[in-house]
Amino acid sequence: MLLNDNNTLVYKYDAEVLRVQPWGPNAFRVRASKSAAITTEDWALLKPQPVECGIAITSEGAIITNGKAQAKVSNRGKLILSDAKENVSIEEYVRNRHDLLDPKCSAIEVEAREFRPIPGTDNFHLSMRWESPDPTEKIFGMGQYQQPWLDLKGQDIELAHRNSQASVPFALSSLGYGILWNNPSVGRAVFGKNTTTFEAYSTKVLDYWIVFGDSPAEIVEAYASATGKVPMMPEYGLGFWQCKLRYQSQDELLEVAREYKKREIPLDLIVVDFFHWPKQGEWKFDPTYWPDPDAMVQELKGMGVELMVSIWPTVDKQSENYQHMLEHGYLIRTDRGVRTGLDFQGETIHVDVTNPEARKWLWTVVKSNYFSKGIKTFWLDEAEPEYTVYDFDNYRYFLGPNLAIGNIYPVEYAKAFYEGQEKEGQTNIVNLLRCAWAGSQKYGALVWSGDIASSWGSFRNQLAAGLNMGIAGLPWWTTDIGGFHGGNPDDPKFRELFVRWFQWGAFCPVMRLHGDREPRQPQQGTTGGATCCSGAPNEVWSYGPEVYAICRRYIQIREDLRDYTRKLMREAHQNGSPIMRPLFYEFPRDEKSWNVSTQYMYGDKYLVCPVLDAGVATLKVYLPPLENGLRWTVFNGDESYPGGCLVEVACPLAEMPVFVKG
């Protein structure tokens, strides 16, 4: 049965209902279910702006059009989505004999929309299959994965969060469409040569959003309009941020900030890392090591330095808040075994931020102990949340089982703080998170790439991660300069890696130094978080005079770019534009730009070429073609080159190749 239900094309057969609904310009939201009713959650999607559409139903099937997008549904429910000119078609992969006149009629009996019941529940293991429209198609986005490939075609991707992995299931195709898998269930996506498959391991509804456009920018901006845009980045987000694991006392942190000012090195923000609290889940300064945080905040503000404070969602069973949170249902539950989610520095379970009452209560504690002191930027760590064992089927949240809705956790975590800060009158809110899902950006989420290795391979992975996060709708992204795990500041080999990472950091959305350096430092004190010892010094003067001089220069470059970076942040706020852009984003008509994965554009002006290997003295760089006789000029230099060519340039340790368009 096909019908027009208030400008939504509906197909019904047996227990299944399929709805194809216009959702913003040139886009459809597609939902289907074999449950009694289609649930009403919008998940990542905002309410759509009204659009005009056309629906025609004939004896052969139905078609719905919305600007550049159209969808056809056969009498037996096969859905084909395409641009209005049918240059690209996203056809469901159906191999059965329900329609004997279908050219792809087959006896192998494979459904496109497969709802496999989970015994004893109302949920299904859902698989959605499409024909791969073109074996040469390229796919980008999908979030942050620790691998070096920018193009995701041919990859098998876990739709789940882990420390350093963020599933943000929006895929941009080189063929001119983008698709959001609008389902927070743990699952899987496979971008094969023959088929594209998305799976949700436990859900009631198939739900995805698809948009067609003439350029990557048009598609990404439409996606941002559908899911939300970042706030305007505050001024202190444009410069250099200093951090390490970890400053163990108020005196130690202030000494570092004072040294930056003494050396006249620009510093926008410094961080109080984890275990500054008595116990996890108490969300306050331990007065043994932080005796006067009010005075600390005021001194830093007098230097023009903002203070960021680490927040963990873990709650120690011995903490002062555990029993209250347990009684009120503010904690994640386990379906089996001991109620412990993470056993790092104590037996802990996480606050359940999918519970709105838990979010409100958490903010009241944070407001009292941090925000009231003038601290307005928070490091929301462990945002996946991280588990000692990722048994996704064992954890249960207020909104449902982790397997069914768990990927929404980092959105709700960011929302808890964003809404609390907004209620207090704060604007231009930015908080640092270790994870995100679709829609996190509208809650001021600046995502960093987690606890990564201090290695050249890890460095390479972060470039792909940052670029794909921008395409997936998260323009605010950063990484631990130098990597997180390991790295000795006295090791010449690590110093080279550190320099190359630092140079790249100056052209990332946020320039942030962090890491857990070797060797470990002696324990200070015996109470509270004292057993979580600090790594070695990680300030720019900790790496010897040659590295120090290079770092100073690149911090100054970042300062000199402040006006330009502010412009990019405004574009992200207004349009959803990524700050870091793959070459194809700015040069979509240049076929070669679609194949470049080790260079990118910082906005529309600067072509950035990170040095991603040790011992490199020269680098081959591709310069995309420019119109009207414009040329590429070496950053802070006079030499220029025409576009559309490959050039070899010198890259001594003190220099990372950057070119200026025009």
Side-chain angles (χ1 to χ4, degrees), residues 232 272 289 605 637 650:
M232 182 60 192
V272 176
Y289 311 100
K605 183 176 180 180

Side-chain angles (χ1 to χ4, degrees), residues 281-315:
E282 294 186 349
W283 300 296
K284 64 182 181 181
F285 288 102
D286 186 336
T288 303
Y289 311 100
W290 308 86
D292 194 349
D294 296 86
M296 174 178 62
V297 171
Q298 291 309 308
E299 181 175 346
L300 291 170
K301 286 186 180 296
M303 300 183 209
V305 178
E306 287 293 324
L307 182 66
M308 174 186 282
V309 170
S310 171
I311 302 287
W312 274 34
T314 46
V315 183

Side-chain angles (χ1 to χ4, degrees), residues 292-554:
D292 194 349
D294 296 86
M296 174 178 62
V297 171
Q298 291 309 308
E299 181 175 346
L300 291 170
K301 286 186 180 296
M303 300 183 209
V305 178
E306 287 293 324
L307 182 66
M308 174 186 282
V309 170
S310 171
I311 302 287
W312 274 34
T314 46
V315 183
D316 193 302
K317 295 176 183 179
Q318 304 301 318
S319 71
E320 64 185 16
N321 293 318
Y322 179 79
Q323 288 299 327
H324 175 85
M325 298 180 73
L326 182 66
E327 179 180 352
H328 287 80
Y330 293 166
L331 299 170
I332 289 174
R333 291 166 282 158
T334 53
D335 284 353
R336 59 186 184 273
V338 178
R339 194 173 184 174
T340 297
L342 190 67
D343 60 1
F344 179 71
Q345 296 283 326
E347 292 293 319
T348 69
I349 191 68
H350 307 77
V351 58
D352 184 357
V353 290
T354 72
N355 182 338
E357 293 303 315
R359 292 198 301 270
K360 291 177 185 176
W361 181 86
L362 175 62
W363 174 251
T364 62
V365 177
V366 169
K367 176 185 173 183
S368 175
N369 294 333
Y370 298 118
F371 190 83
S372 66
K373 302 179 185 303
I375 298 167
K376 57 186 180 183
T377 306
F378 299 95
W379 180 357
L380 307 184
D381 208 340
E382 296 288 313
E384 300 81 17
E386 181 179 12
Y387 293 112
T388 298
V389 179
Y390 286 100
D391 285 338
F392 295 116
D393 64 340
N394 189 33
Y395 301 101
R396 186 170 294 272
Y397 302 166
F398 176 83
L399 285 182
N402 180 33
L403 205 62
I405 58 88
N407 285 337
I408 203 71
Y409 189 95
V411 180
E412 301 298 299
Y413 193 19
K415 182 179 180 181
F417 282 73
Y418 182 88
E419 290 187 341
Q421 291 164 274
E422 190 177 50
K423 187 176 180 181
E424 296 302 318
Q426 185 176 341
T427 58
N428 300 341
I429 297 166
V430 56
N431 292 313
L432 183 67
L433 284 93
R434 201 175 66 191
C435 197
W437 192 68
S440 287
Q441 68 276 1
K442 63 179 172 285
Y443 296 121
L446 162 63
V447 184
W448 101 96
S449 59
D451 296 350
I452 53 174
S454 295
S455 68
W456 289 98
S458 177
F459 179 27
R460 173 66 184 88
N461 291 348
Q462 305 325 302
L463 177 57
L467 292 172
N468 274 325
M469 281 290 272
I471 294 297
L474 279 298
W476 291 357
W477 181 87
T478 185
T479 182
D480 294 352
I481 290 176
F484 177 73
H485 287 297
N488 188 325
D490 294 328
D491 180 356
K493 291 182 178 179
F494 180 64
R495 287 181 176 182
E496 181 187 4
L497 172 63
F498 179 83
V499 164
R500 294 309 193 187
W501 212 314
F502 199 93
Q503 291 167 335
W504 177 54
F507 291 86
C508 283
V510 168
M511 185 183 189
R512 172 180 159 272
L513 176 56
H514 184 55
D516 185 14
R517 302 289 171 246
E518 297 294 336
R520 309 290 299 170
Q521 301 300 290
Q523 180 174 323
Q524 293 186 16
T526 58
T527 60
T531 55
C532 185
C533 296
S534 173
N538 191 44
E539 294 72 44
V540 294
W541 52 81
S542 306
Y543 291 82
E546 181 185 16
V547 174
Y548 174 59
I550 296 170
C551 290
R552 286 204 64 152
R553 177 166 173 257
Y554 275 84

Side-chain angles (χ1 to χ4, degrees), residues 203-224:
T203 192
K204 291 183 172 65
V205 179
L206 165 70
D207 189 348
Y208 65 90
W209 177 88
I210 187 167
V211 64
F212 293 86
D214 297 329
S215 70
E218 181 183 356
I219 294 167
V220 169
E221 289 176 11
Y223 167 62

Side-chain angles (χ1 to χ4, degrees), residues 619-650:
L619 203 63
K620 290 184 178 179
V621 174
Y622 175 67
L623 303 175
L626 300 176
E627 298 178 349
N628 303 319
L630 295 177
R631 296 172 66 87
W632 293 98
T633 303
V634 174
F635 183 80
N636 284 342
D638 298 322
E639 191 172 4
S640 68
Y641 301 89
C645 64
L646 192 69
V647 298
E648 187 168 357
V649 296

Side-chain angles (χ1 to χ4, degrees), residues 218-236:
E218 181 183 356
I219 294 167
V220 169
E221 289 176 11
Y223 167 62
S225 294
T227 58
K229 300 164 188 170
V230 290
M232 182 60 192
M233 178 66 78
E235 193 66 22
Y236 56 82

Side-chain angles (χ1 to χ4, degrees), residues 647-662:
V647 298
E648 187 168 357
V649 296
C651 53
L653 184 63
E655 297 288 340
M656 178 183 71
V658 177
F659 295 85
V660 185
K661 186 175 73 173

